[in-house]
Amino acid sequence: MLHSVVAGVDGSPQSLTAADWAAREAVLRGRPLRIVCAREALPSEAERALGPQNGYAWAEERLEQLERRLGERHPDLPVEILRESGSPVQSVLAQDAELLVLGSRGLTGVAGHLMGSVSLAVVGRSERPVVLVRAGYDPGAPEHGAVAVGFDFHHEADEPVAFAFEAAAARGAVIRAVHVWDAQRAYGWATIPQDMEVLDEYEGPARRYLADAVAPWRERYPSVGITEEVVRGSAGPGLITAGTGTDLLVVGHRVHGKGRPSPLGHVTHAVLHHAPCPVAVVPHG
């Protein structure tokens, strides 16, 4: 049995956009799509303005519109829609899924991106990759042909990198391998050379690290093109910038045990809030 790509939907524009992204991803992966709508996931604004019964009808109408739209765009894609009652977080996490996809509440522009509480809760608890999709995603637009993934010798893990390469291979995209080098973190505030030419020499080890880290993946995925980018600065802003002009930005999330909530690291948290593209959070031990 093929595992599904699962999208959590509550009728909001952000979640419907996530469902569009999930449908496209399911086609790329050759997987069925499952849409999960939990009753508690109705937007509070709709509940207050329309009342519980009218709010339910409002969400149901959007589910029906979504089902018709997906049928027109992807006529060969198997789509299942589940209507459930209870916690939306638990409803999504309970699915037998290859990948979970959720929307996020976005502010305009790269400078602000406010995540919904359901999305953050699912990311913190999930043992499977979770993709968060911005409200501005256009399912009809051509893709950029690039997937970005960060490499960090302080927190090396194969799972996020493997996910990124598989996503790139499915799209026929290139990998943008990014290592953000922080001079303060590497050498301490008192020893940072101020001359830019000298600082460039200090960057040499970062470039060698990235080349060595990428080399095994070049052999494993010979058909996937790879560009290497060493960025000077803080990890969060560096990865956010690297995500510009990509179809997906992949980051890792260290989990602390089966079924236990795992707080997000500050870099992952920053990327989720501000990245200009869909973000995949891949758990690892």
Side-chain angles (χ1 to χ4, degrees):
M1 180 181 297
L2 295 176
H3 295 299
S4 299
V5 173
V6 171
V9 169
D10 63 4
S12 66
Q14 295 87 353
S15 69
L16 298 178
T17 297
D20 284 323
W21 190 95
R24 197 172 188 174
E25 187 70 14
V27 171
L28 286 171
R29 292 171 173 261
R31 296 292 188 267
L33 173 67
R34 182 180 303 146
I35 307 293
V36 178
C37 181
R39 181 67 180 93
E40 286 185 5
L42 277 171
S44 59
E45 295 87 350
E47 290 283 0
R48 290 195 299 267
L50 303 174
Q53 293 305 317
N54 288 334
Y56 180 83
W58 176 87
E60 185 64 26
E61 179 183 351
R62 276 148 184 77
L63 276 178
E64 293 173 357
Q65 293 172 353
L66 173 64
E67 187 172 17
R68 289 195 297 270
R69 184 170 73 246
L70 294 180
E72 294 170 357
R73 288 178 176 168
H74 310 287
D76 298 325
L77 174 65
V79 179
E80 177 186 14
I81 296 185
L82 299 182
R83 296 161 173 85
E84 299 191 349
S85 60
S87 164
V89 174
Q90 294 303 323
S91 295
V92 171
L93 290 175
Q95 302 303 313
D96 184 13
E98 177 174 311
L99 177 67
L100 303 176
V101 183
L102 296 169
S104 55
R105 301 186 179 189
L107 301 176
T108 57
V110 177
H113 193 167
L114 178 63
M115 303 302 299
S117 59
V118 171
S119 299
L120 286 178
V122 170
V123 170
R125 296 173 181 268
S126 179
E127 298 171 11
R128 288 150 293 177
V130 182
V131 174
L132 282 299
V133 183
R134 291 182 65 94
Y137 170 76
D138 181 0
E143 294 204 320
H144 299 281
V147 173
V149 60
F151 285 78
D152 181 1
F153 63 82
H154 293 286
H155 302 98
E156 289 187 335
D158 285 347
E159 292 89 343
V161 182
F163 182 93
F165 271 84
E166 290 166 6
R171 288 168 166 76
V174 301
I175 282 287
R176 185 178 294 177
V178 182
H179 174 56
V180 183
W181 177 68
D182 188 342
Q184 289 88 350
R185 184 179 183 185
Y187 298 105
W189 288 94
T191 59
I192 300 172
Q194 299 302 312
D195 184 273
M196 293 304 297
E197 292 184 3
V198 177
L199 190 58
D200 288 341
E201 292 181 8
Y202 273 66
E203 196 171 276
R207 295 190 178 278
R208 289 192 292 273
Y209 158 73
L210 182 58
D212 291 342
V214 167
W217 298 98
R218 289 187 183 276
E219 296 182 3
R220 197 174 306 180
Y221 292 87
S223 64
V224 176
I226 304 172
T227 63
E228 299 176 15
E229 299 182 13
V230 172
V231 180
R232 191 180 302 159
S234 299
L239 289 174
I240 291 165
T241 300
T244 302
T246 68
D247 303 309
L248 190 65
L249 172 59
V250 182
V251 295
H253 173 221
R254 185 178 298 277
V255 295
H256 301 304
K258 186 177 179 63
R260 294 175 55 192
S262 302
L264 299 178
H266 69 279
V267 173
T268 299
H269 207 277
V271 168
L272 286 176
H273 279 73
H274 299 289
C277 61
V279 177
V281 182
V282 181
H284 61 87

